[in-house]
Amino acid sequence: MTTLLISHPAFLDHDTGPHHPERPDRLRAVMAALETEAFADLERLTAPAATREQLLRVHPETYIDAILGIRPPADELMAIDGDTIMGAGSAEAALRAAGAVVAGVDAVLQGHVASAFAAVRPPGHHATPDIPGGFCLFNNVAIGARHAQARYGIERVAILDFDVHHGQGTQAVVEPDRSLFYGSTHQSPLYPGTGSARERGIDGNVVNVPLGPDAGSAEFRAAWSERILPQLGRFAPELLIVSAGFDGHRRDPLAQLRLDTLDFGWITDRLMAAAEACCAGRLVSALEGGYDLTALAASASLHVRRLMES
Ligand SMILES: [Zn+2]
């Protein structure tokens, strides 16, 4: 079985304005890296738009209507907050970013593919059910997790987040619900300022391992090997969903961690091994951050390459 790559041209039409780090060139860089011969065996799917029913499993109706109602004229932008910008194509991109993760869940749980990677923007892990922010509009991975539960009767879903920022939006969904698990490494201090190790959810269904600025491979690998993955095993999920952010790379301009490209191959291997142990290898990954184009392309393509080796 192979790996499914899900994307859509609409992700390039999410215009965040000049000089914004979360820009269309990020996705162009990732997709170009996945065009080489090494990725010829990928299955490819055009991302569908998420349905209202799928969005409502995470976000209230008033929130969905507010986000989808922001459709500024072409060449005009609307600032949701200091970081989060919407243009004419942003609502459509946001719908398809969530829909891409849902489609990945469908493909993996129906057994068509072993794993899926949703190459999307906007990212999602900072969006709480009712507050956008940190470049995020809908919480793509949480919507995917809820879809797995509602559509396939999956009881326990784990979301693993190696983006350099803490996914406080995802944690807000997971925290009160013992059917979900959230494990995250992230730099601290850094935006959004949450993710203390003391935030543990219910019965430890949230595992946060903050890393100091300048932490590198050793600290990152120890956090996953010694803290998050053992707790994940005890949770016994039936599906893994990954918030794959590559902004922990030492080249990234938004943070100070010192990870190398190979660390993203390592964490991919560890998560695949965890998926084999708990969930017949079922893993759906979604792009979050990563703002140095060279590091992003190399790291994301290595991530997909390792997924294809399942
Ligand atoms: Zn990030």
Side-chain angles (χ1 to χ4, degrees):
M1 283 212 296
T2 184
T3 296
L4 179 65
L5 171 65
I6 310 156
S7 197
H8 196 286
F11 301 143
L12 301 177
D13 296 333
H14 169 41
D15 183 3
T16 48
H19 316 303
H20 196 288
E22 204 295 280
R23 58 207 192 275
D25 279 349
R26 296 180 59 242
L27 199 73
R28 289 192 185 97
V30 170
M31 295 306 284
L34 298 177
E35 285 302 326
T36 64
E37 182 62 29
F39 298 96
D41 290 341
L42 276 177
E43 283 198 22
R44 291 165 190 261
L45 181 71
T46 301
T51 66
R52 176 166 288 263
E53 179 186 13
Q54 290 160 359
L55 299 173
L56 278 168
R57 295 183 185 126
V58 170
H59 299 285
E61 189 141 38
T62 49
Y63 179 87
I64 296 167
D65 289 340
I67 293 294
L68 296 182
I70 299 173
R71 296 189 187 248
D75 301 327
E76 284 186 27
L77 300 176
M78 169 88 78
I80 307 297
D81 61 25
D83 297 324
T84 312
I85 311 293
M86 291 182 73
S90 299
E92 178 73 11
L95 280 175
R96 292 190 187 276
V101 181
V102 168
V105 168
D106 283 336
V108 166
L109 290 183
Q110 290 170 13
H112 303 319
V113 294
S115 58
F117 180 65
V120 302
R121 55 185 295 278
H125 71 157
H126 295 306
T128 72
D130 50 14
I131 307 174
F135 319 153
C136 302
L137 299 173
F138 296 128
N139 195 307
N140 307 322
V141 294
I143 291 165
R146 289 300 191 209
H147 180 69
Q149 293 180 314
R151 174 78 173 71
Y152 297 95
I154 293 279
E155 288 183 9
R156 292 181 307 285
V157 182
I159 299 171
L160 294 315
D161 186 337
F162 58 76
D163 188 280
V164 79
H165 301 95
H166 179 242
Q168 93 286 14
T170 307
Q171 180 172 304
V173 174
V174 171
E175 225 160 22
D177 183 345
R178 62 181 76 239
S179 76
L180 298 173
F181 178 96
Y182 179 67
S184 172
T185 49
H186 42 272
Q187 181 181 322
S188 176
L190 189 66
Y191 176 90
T194 50
S196 151
R198 292 188 303 277
E199 299 167 21
R200 294 176 39 78
I202 307 171
D203 300 335
N205 73 330
V206 171
V207 182
N208 285 310
V209 186
L211 302 172
D214 297 325
S217 297
E219 294 89 347
F220 177 77
R221 295 183 184 206
W224 284 95
S225 296
E226 296 166 18
R227 306 276 297 280
I228 300 174
L229 293 172
Q231 193 74 8
L232 173 69
R234 285 189 280 277
F235 177 74
E238 298 163 87
L239 172 69
L240 297 195
I241 299 182
V242 179
S243 269
F246 301 95
D247 39 8
H249 197 286
R250 62 172 67 236
R251 289 178 57 107
D252 199 274
L254 295 197
Q256 290 78 45
L257 288 195
R258 304 183 63 79
L259 302 183
D260 292 307
T261 303
L262 288 176
D263 290 311
F264 296 105
W266 178 88
I267 186 60
T268 306
D269 289 344
R270 301 316 308 150
L271 294 174
M272 285 171 59
E276 282 298 331
C278 65
C279 335
R282 297 190 295 233
L283 186 154
V284 177
S285 177
L287 180 63
E288 300 280 1
Y291 303 98
D292 178 89
L293 298 184
T294 303
L296 172 63
S299 303
S301 60
L302 180 61
H303 177 63
V304 174
R305 184 71 221 149
R306 295 296 175 87
L307 290 180
M308 292 172 72
E309 288 164 8
S310 60

